[in-house]
Amino acid sequence: MITLYPFERSSDWQKIESVVKVHSIYSKVINFEGDDNRRYSLITREVDYLPRASLIEALPVLRTGESVRVSQELSSVGFDPSINPVSEPANLLWQPLWSEWRRFLLDDRFECLLDQLENPERMIGLGPGTTPAGDDFVTGLITAFRWTGVEVGERFFKALEKNGTTWFSTQMIRDALNGYIWKRGYKLCQALVGSSASEFLSAVGSILQWGHLSGRAWLAGFSTGLEGIS
């Protein structure tokens, strides 16, 4: 069994040695499943930070199902994924723009989501994409609720247990419910309380580059949450 030594990690990945099993492999990310059934990820770019992630110089050659040891002995904390409720409201300068993000749902590929806007928990598991678009929408929605201090109802917890979805999406939604955010979303929240157009557009552009449809669906959900519609 090989041992990997990341040089940086998210604050919710404890500085201990752990054994994890390879779940899925991509060009810039490897996702692992821990003994606690949670997702852990190795990444090579800071922009891809998410809860329980570690930054490494280059991804090792591994195969699905292989077990590896990850030592955090040499790592330092590079990202805190905690969603901290905003102390000041989003700058209304950006409201006309964030309101437009809901229009992403007019894409024919998201048609199945439009019927569920009044009951967004029913979107879990619906739609196209490796992470179903409905899951991305729900994650964006919950993130906005957490960020603005809006209470997240039990219906999302219950729907996740009842409806089910892909393994990765389950982890993603559960993280949002537990108050954790990806770095792309974190950067957007920072930009929303500021007045820098370049920072705002950079943050939005980074999310739009996330997956084929995931970024659009996430932004639509986040916008819906900011508008207080659930």
Side-chain angles (χ1 to χ4, degrees), residues 13-222:
W13 190 329
Q14 296 182 1
K15 195 168 186 176
I16 59 175
E17 185 174 277
S18 55
V19 175
V20 292
K21 183 181 295 185
V22 177
H23 183 277
S24 48
I25 302 171
Y26 299 93
S27 60
K28 296 180 176 63
V29 180
I30 297 179
N31 295 314
F32 301 88
E33 185 172 0
D35 291 337
D36 54 2
N37 297 319
R38 302 172 81 186
R39 175 208 44 78
Y40 294 81
S41 298
L42 278 183
I43 59 175
T44 57
R45 303 183 303 175
E46 289 186 19
V47 69
D48 291 325
Y49 255 125
L50 65 164
R52 299 178 307 284
S54 288
L55 198 59
I56 198 166
E57 290 288 351
L59 295 178
V61 177
L62 300 172
R63 63 182 185 277
T64 302
E66 182 177 356
S67 293
V68 301
R69 184 177 291 107
V70 181
S71 172
Q72 299 290 0
E73 178 184 357
L74 305 177
S75 69
S76 58
V77 173
F79 173 60
D80 180 1
S82 303
I83 301 175
N84 297 311
V86 64
S87 57
E88 55 183 307
N91 191 334
L92 293 180
L93 172 68
W94 310 122
Q95 186 171 20
L97 295 177
W98 83 56
S99 295
E100 286 293 308
W101 298 339
R102 296 186 69 212
R103 295 180 61 84
F104 286 133
L105 293 181
L106 298 179
D107 186 315
D108 290 343
R109 292 168 292 184
F110 295 153
E111 184 177 1
C112 62
L113 305 184
L114 283 174
D115 295 336
Q116 307 298 340
L117 274 177
E118 293 187 4
N119 299 284
E121 70 277 7
R122 295 180 182 175
M123 293 186 188
I124 293 175
L126 296 181
T130 305
T131 54
D135 299 342
D136 296 315
F137 181 97
V138 167
T139 301
L141 178 71
I142 294 170
T143 299
F145 285 167
R146 290 295 193 200
W147 186 58
T148 56
V150 174
E151 183 177 353
V152 178
E154 286 293 321
R155 56 184 174 150
F156 290 102
F157 290 93
K158 292 178 180 178
L160 184 59
E161 295 300 323
K162 179 181 178 181
N163 299 346
T165 183
T166 66
W167 175 81
F168 187 88
S169 282
T170 297
Q171 303 286 324
M172 180 177 68
I173 296 172
R174 186 168 291 145
D175 282 338
L177 287 169
N178 290 331
Y180 293 108
I181 191 172
W182 293 35
K183 189 165 187 177
R184 294 174 195 262
Y186 174 81
K187 286 291 188 181
L188 177 62
C189 291
Q190 282 187 315
L192 279 169
V193 298
S195 57
S196 170
S198 61
E199 290 181 9
F200 177 79
L201 294 175
S202 175
V204 174
S206 178
I207 292 176
L208 287 174
Q209 292 171 10
W210 169 34
H212 183 54
L213 296 172
S214 290
R216 291 176 174 83
W218 190 95
L219 285 171
F222 191 79

